[in-house]
């Protein structure tokens, strides 16, 4: 069986200068790149992206930062692109989530086109042919779980942004789906300290291995 590194939402809007920035996001992108350069432990590397078209109440002009948020990671915008300090050369597949509803877990994502522009230079005027596909209903859509099982992956290691939201949701879904799941605690970044610690406690209680890289 195989192991996969799952890079969650290391996108421009979640890093410094973005519309929903997490402190340390840009440095984290570079640190994950260093890990990719230094290790051969993973058979596959997969990345997820928030990719919003019209997510309804997930966007708000008066967000509560729990269920609603400022506009971020709009499909095909620079904010939705992976941070340029993240080395994408070894990434085997990309999964996009949240087109028409809130989506925190990478397991809600769908496989992106192979001819995708991978990192941060893309402008808001560019577009992809399948941006109108519904997350749940796109014909022939491949989910993250589909892809991992097709590639005989039974263990996933998770890094990225944000610990108290998308890392939490992705790791819990990975455990529920039956994957041996590890979160590298030095290669994640949370929105705030209290919820981040609570998220880590919840992950440990669910059976996720928490360790440093």
């Amino acid at each position: 069986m195989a192991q996969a590194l799952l890079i969650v939402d290391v996108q421009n809007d979640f890093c410094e200068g973005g519309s929903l920035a997490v402190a340390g996001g840009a440095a984290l992108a570079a640190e994950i790149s260093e890990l990719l350069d230094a290790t051969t432990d993973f058979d596959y590397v997969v990345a997820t992206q928030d990719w919003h078209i019209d997510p309804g109440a997930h966007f708000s002009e008066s967000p509560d930062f729990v269920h609603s948020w400022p506009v971020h990671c709009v499909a095909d915008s620079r904010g939705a692109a992976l941070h340029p300090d993240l080395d994408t050369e070894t990434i085997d597949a990309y999964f996009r989530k949240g087109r028409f509803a809130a989506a925190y877990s990478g397991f809600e994502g769908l496989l992106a086109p192979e001819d995708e522009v991978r990192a941060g230079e893309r402008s808001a005027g560019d577009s992809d042919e399948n941006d109108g596909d519904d997350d749940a209903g796109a014909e022939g859509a491949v989910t993250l779980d589909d892809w991992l099982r097709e590639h005989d992956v039974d263990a996933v290691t998770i890094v990225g942004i944000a610990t108290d939201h998308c890392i939490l949701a992705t790791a819990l879904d990975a455990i529920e789906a039956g994957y041996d799941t590890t979160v590298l605690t030095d290669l994640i970044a949370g929105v705030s300290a209290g919820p981040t610690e609570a998220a880590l406690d919840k992950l440990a209680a669910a059976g996720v291995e928490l360790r440093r890289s």
Side-chain angles (χ1 to χ4, degrees), residues 101-204:
Y104 295 94
S105 171
F107 284 85
E108 298 176 80
L110 300 180
L111 183 66
E114 290 184 2
D115 59 354
E116 185 67 9
V117 174
R118 303 304 188 190
E121 302 83 2
R122 164 171 283 187
S123 70
D126 296 331
S127 63
D128 286 322
E129 292 180 359
N130 77 331
D131 280 347
D133 290 345
D134 182 82
D135 284 45
E139 184 177 354
V142 176
T143 68
L144 175 58
D145 188 48
D146 292 335
W147 193 94
L148 293 173
R149 294 189 188 283
E150 179 183 343
H151 290 81
D152 294 323
V153 172
D154 64 349
V156 296
T157 297
I158 299 172
V159 298
I161 303 170
T163 308
D164 36 345
H165 295 283
C166 294
I167 296 292
L168 173 63
T170 301
L172 290 177
D173 277 356
I175 280 284
E176 185 174 355
Y179 296 97
D180 291 337
T181 305
T182 299
V183 169
L184 299 182
T185 56
D186 57 329
L187 293 178
I188 53 177
V191 174
S192 54
T196 292
E197 289 302 317
L200 293 174
D201 289 343
K202 188 171 184 178
L203 292 176

Side-chain angles (χ1 to χ4, degrees), residues 22-38:
V22 173
L28 180 63
E31 289 162 3
I32 293 171
S33 295
E34 291 174 5
L35 173 70
L36 292 172
D37 186 54

